[in-house]
């Protein structure tokens, strides 16, 4: 009997996740676990390198530590959200801070979700699957909107061409009516002259 993949398993098989954390231990543990779950994983231990990696290749999702030396996760997220190419890149913020202020700060900065350390790995996987699923639906909606925009533009061009043809036809009709009127006037004039 053939095993069919669940939607989350099929997303995992194709999804590339960038994990950004200043702790090598956290990176290795999360990387190994996500790799076992079927994700393609890239690791980075600082924000600047993470931005360079993102600029150099596409990722489906970023797991981003909130508190890092040098460039914080919030600063990395601000850079991502400011660039049109990465403005919609799914980001889940991960941090040891458990206060509600950290959650609000992460979400206000544009994080798609937030997970506090220590976390249950199954919960993290569920949040990743949900975030990737939502990102996939948003991408599909954007493709549909772009397709509809293209169709509307094509119809607008067709409509413009039809209006131009109609204007030419009306001008031709007006010239024909004028010519017929002139001919009728000439016929009447000639008829009146010949009868005299």
């Amino acid at each position: 009997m053939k095993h069919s993949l669940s939607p989350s398993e099929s997303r995992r098989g194709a999804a590339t996740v960038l994990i950004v954390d200043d702790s090598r231990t956290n990176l290795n543990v999360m990387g190994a676990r996500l790799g076992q779950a079927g994700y393609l994983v890239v690791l980075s231990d600082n924000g600047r390198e993470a931005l360079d990696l993102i600029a150099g290749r596409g990722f489906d999702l970023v797991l981003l530590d909130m508190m890092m030396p040098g460039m914080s996760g919030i600063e990395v997220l601000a850079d991502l959200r400011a660039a049109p190419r990465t403005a919609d890149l799914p980001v889940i913020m991960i941090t040891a801070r458990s206060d509600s202020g950290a959650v609000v700060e992460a979400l206000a900065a544009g994080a798609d979700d937030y997970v506090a350390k220590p976390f249950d790995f199954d919960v993290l996987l569920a949040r990743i699957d949900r975030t990737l699923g939502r990102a996939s639906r948003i991408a599909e909606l954007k493709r549909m909107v772009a397709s509809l925009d293209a169709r509307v533009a094509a119809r607008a061009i067709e409509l413009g061409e039809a209006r131009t043809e109609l204007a030419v036809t009306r001008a031709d009709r007006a010239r024909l009516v004028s010519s017929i009127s002139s001919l009728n006037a000439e016929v009447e004039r000639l008829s009146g002259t010949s009868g005299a």
Side-chain angles (χ1 to χ4, degrees), residues 85-157:
R85 189 173 157 266
T86 57
D88 295 326
L89 177 65
V91 176
I92 297 176
M93 195 68 77
I94 299 177
T95 188
R97 286 179 58 190
S98 59
D99 59 291
S100 61
V103 176
V104 171
E105 183 181 5
L107 295 175
D112 294 279
D113 205 344
Y114 177 95
V115 178
K117 297 176 191 174
F119 52 82
D120 180 310
F121 200 76
D122 288 335
V123 170
L124 178 62
L125 282 176
R127 288 178 183 248
I128 290 171
D129 286 344
R130 183 183 62 84
T131 301
L132 287 172
R134 185 175 61 230
S136 175
R137 289 188 300 276
I138 289 170
E140 180 60 28
L141 286 173
K142 285 182 178 181
R143 282 190 293 276
M144 290 171 64
V145 166
S147 173
L148 288 173
D149 285 347
R151 288 172 57 190
V152 166
R155 295 292 185 253
I157 290 169

Side-chain angles (χ1 to χ4, degrees), residues 13 17 39 54 56-57 66 77 96-97 102 147 156 178 184:
V17 178
Y39 292 103
I54 291 166
R57 63 177 290 182
M66 190 168 180
L77 184 57
R97 286 179 58 190
S147 173
S178 175
N184 281 340

Side-chain angles (χ1 to χ4, degrees), residues 173-184:
R173 182 178 175 270
R175 279 193 296 277
L176 286 173
V177 167
S178 175
S179 294
I180 291 171
S181 293
S182 295
L183 286 173
N184 281 340

Side-chain angles (χ1 to χ4, degrees), residues 50-81:
L51 290 172
D52 290 343
L53 286 167
I54 291 166
R57 63 177 290 182
F59 290 96
D60 297 304
L61 178 104
V62 177
L63 295 177
L64 182 59
D65 186 20
M66 190 168 180
M67 298 182 305
M68 295 184 292
M71 186 175 207
S72 74
I74 294 294
E75 291 170 320
V76 172
L77 184 57
D79 279 9
L80 293 174
R81 295 301 180 240

